[in-house]
Amino acid sequence: MADAKVKRNDPCPCGSGKKYKRCCMARDKAEQAERVSWERAAQDMRVALIGFAKEASFVKDLALGLGLFWQDRYTVETIPMMSVDESLRFFDWFAHDYRLQAQDEPSHNGKRLIEVYRSEVADALSDKEASILDGWIASPPGSAFTLLETDAAQGTAVMRDLLLEDRTLIVHDGSAAKHGEVGQILLARPLPEQSHVRLAGATAVLPPSEADGLRAFVEEKWQAHLAEHEGATKVEFLRDCAYLVTHYALAWADREGRPAVAADDPDARGPGGQAMQRLVKWRQERVQIH
């Protein structure tokens, strides 16, 4: 796609010798419109999943999920005390990884919320929305990644999975590309969106010094899981136990003497959410939390 600074009457960057408006401008505008329509469809699905998670039929599972993810630091009653970043991280995990277990509809138990949502609204989805949800459902679970390099001009970052071997990704995320520092550990969920991979929710960041500790912590849990679930795969384990990386981050904050969650910090509810900025370094595209 041509540089956004190219004007209508400038020579076309393709080298044809024609003015931009007589050459590639129409194609570039069509490509831009298509890209924006995919981004809007993905944003709509993020908002819809959060709204779906808050329906009355999921209250019991929501309570169980809050206790599991936050180690009982939040309950259904104290959800309003979560910062926006904490809400995004929790509902991202609850929609994509948590397996429902307290449903009145037996067929829903054992399924992930995103799978239930996809089946219940199938007839109302656009082709783009259906494609996005199918890609998200098939994608690996969230994980911990080492940031290898960034390109602020292109809005991309390269990161390697700490917990799954042979998984290195190029993600399109302007915030990570601009604010990320090589070596940092990103607690994130990469999700496919058309031809790109983007980071969902809010990315939490740990210092490079925690890489070995986090890897050892998860490995110990994995070996214990494998002893009880013969034949389980690492991907299945990380899906069912994705909350473990949050448990490690909470323990790290406790060790550092920092408020682990906004509810523990009287200043976190003020402008900027000072305390959580120490753990959540940047934000991806916003979704509305109601």
Side-chain angles (χ1 to χ4, degrees):
M1 183 174 175
D3 192 300
K5 295 180 181 179
V6 178
K7 294 181 172 57
R8 292 169 53 86
N9 291 313
D10 288 346
C12 188
C14 76
S16 66
K18 299 179 182 179
K19 290 184 178 181
Y20 181 50
K21 67 181 180 181
R22 302 291 185 189
C23 193
C24 293
M25 188 176 77
R27 183 202 64 194
D28 288 347
K29 285 186 176 295
E31 289 178 353
Q32 182 181 26
E34 180 69 2
R35 186 178 69 255
V36 169
S37 70
W38 277 97
E39 291 172 354
R40 287 176 177 169
Q43 185 74 344
D44 288 345
M45 290 300 92
R46 295 187 187 102
V47 174
L49 282 170
I50 291 175
F52 190 61
K54 291 190 172 184
E55 291 188 0
S57 59
F58 300 112
V59 169
K60 291 180 182 178
D61 274 301
L62 190 63
L64 292 170
L66 282 165
L68 182 60
F69 188 81
W70 292 118
Q71 295 184 308
D72 296 320
R73 300 179 194 230
Y74 283 114
T75 65
V76 172
E77 290 73 25
T78 58
I79 278 182
M81 298 181 68
M82 284 197 293
S83 70
V84 173
D85 290 305
E86 288 172 338
S87 294
L88 288 174
R89 289 182 61 212
F90 169 74
F91 281 107
D92 174 72
W93 167 81
F94 187 68
H96 290 268
D97 294 330
Y98 175 82
R99 294 193 183 279
L100 300 169
Q101 54 186 297
Q103 293 297 295
D104 294 331
E105 174 53 60
S107 64
H108 288 173
N109 287 315
K111 290 186 177 180
R112 294 179 282 149
L113 185 134
I114 189 174
E115 295 170 332
V116 175
Y117 177 79
R118 174 69 173 89
S119 64
E120 290 196 356
V121 302
D123 293 340
L125 295 172
S126 69
D127 290 343
K128 285 186 174 66
E129 290 168 343
S131 176
I132 286 168
L133 285 176
D134 289 341
W136 290 357
I137 289 170
S139 65
S143 190
F145 300 85
T146 297
L147 188 59
L148 300 181
E149 61 182 86
T150 62
D151 187 332
Q154 296 296 320
T156 59
V158 180
M159 55 191 206
R160 182 178 62 238
D161 200 321
L162 271 173
L163 308 178
L164 286 175
E165 295 182 4
D166 301 323
R167 187 188 183 197
T168 300
L169 302 172
I170 299 175
V171 298
H172 286 72
D173 188 281
S175 296
K178 181 178 179 181
H179 302 296
E181 299 174 9
V182 171
Q184 285 179 326
I185 302 167
L186 316 184
L187 308 185
R189 180 185 307 282
L191 288 177
E193 184 181 306
Q194 198 184 14
S195 59
H196 292 162
V197 175
R198 302 188 185 276
L199 299 183
T203 296
V205 180
L206 293 175
S209 59
E210 294 301 315
D212 290 341
L214 175 56
R215 192 185 293 110
F217 171 77
V218 174
E219 181 64 22
E220 180 182 357
K221 302 293 186 182
W222 159 235
Q223 292 303 323
H225 180 86
L226 196 57
E228 296 182 5
H229 303 82
E230 185 178 354
T233 67
K234 193 72 172 287
V235 171
E236 291 170 343
F237 161 72
L238 290 176
R239 171 75 71 198
D240 292 337
C241 301
Y243 54 82
L244 289 174
V245 294
T246 294
H247 289 186
Y248 187 90
L250 295 173
W252 170 79
D254 289 338
R255 293 196 305 271
E256 293 290 310
R258 306 179 180 193
V261 296
D264 293 339
D265 183 5
D267 296 325
R269 306 305 294 171
Q274 294 89 337
M276 288 310 298
Q277 285 183 359
R278 301 172 191 169
L279 183 60
V280 178
K281 294 293 185 180
W282 60 76
R283 300 163 179 174
Q284 278 69 58
E285 293 181 3
R286 281 296 186 207
V287 299
Q288 304 215 343
I289 307 276
H290 297 295

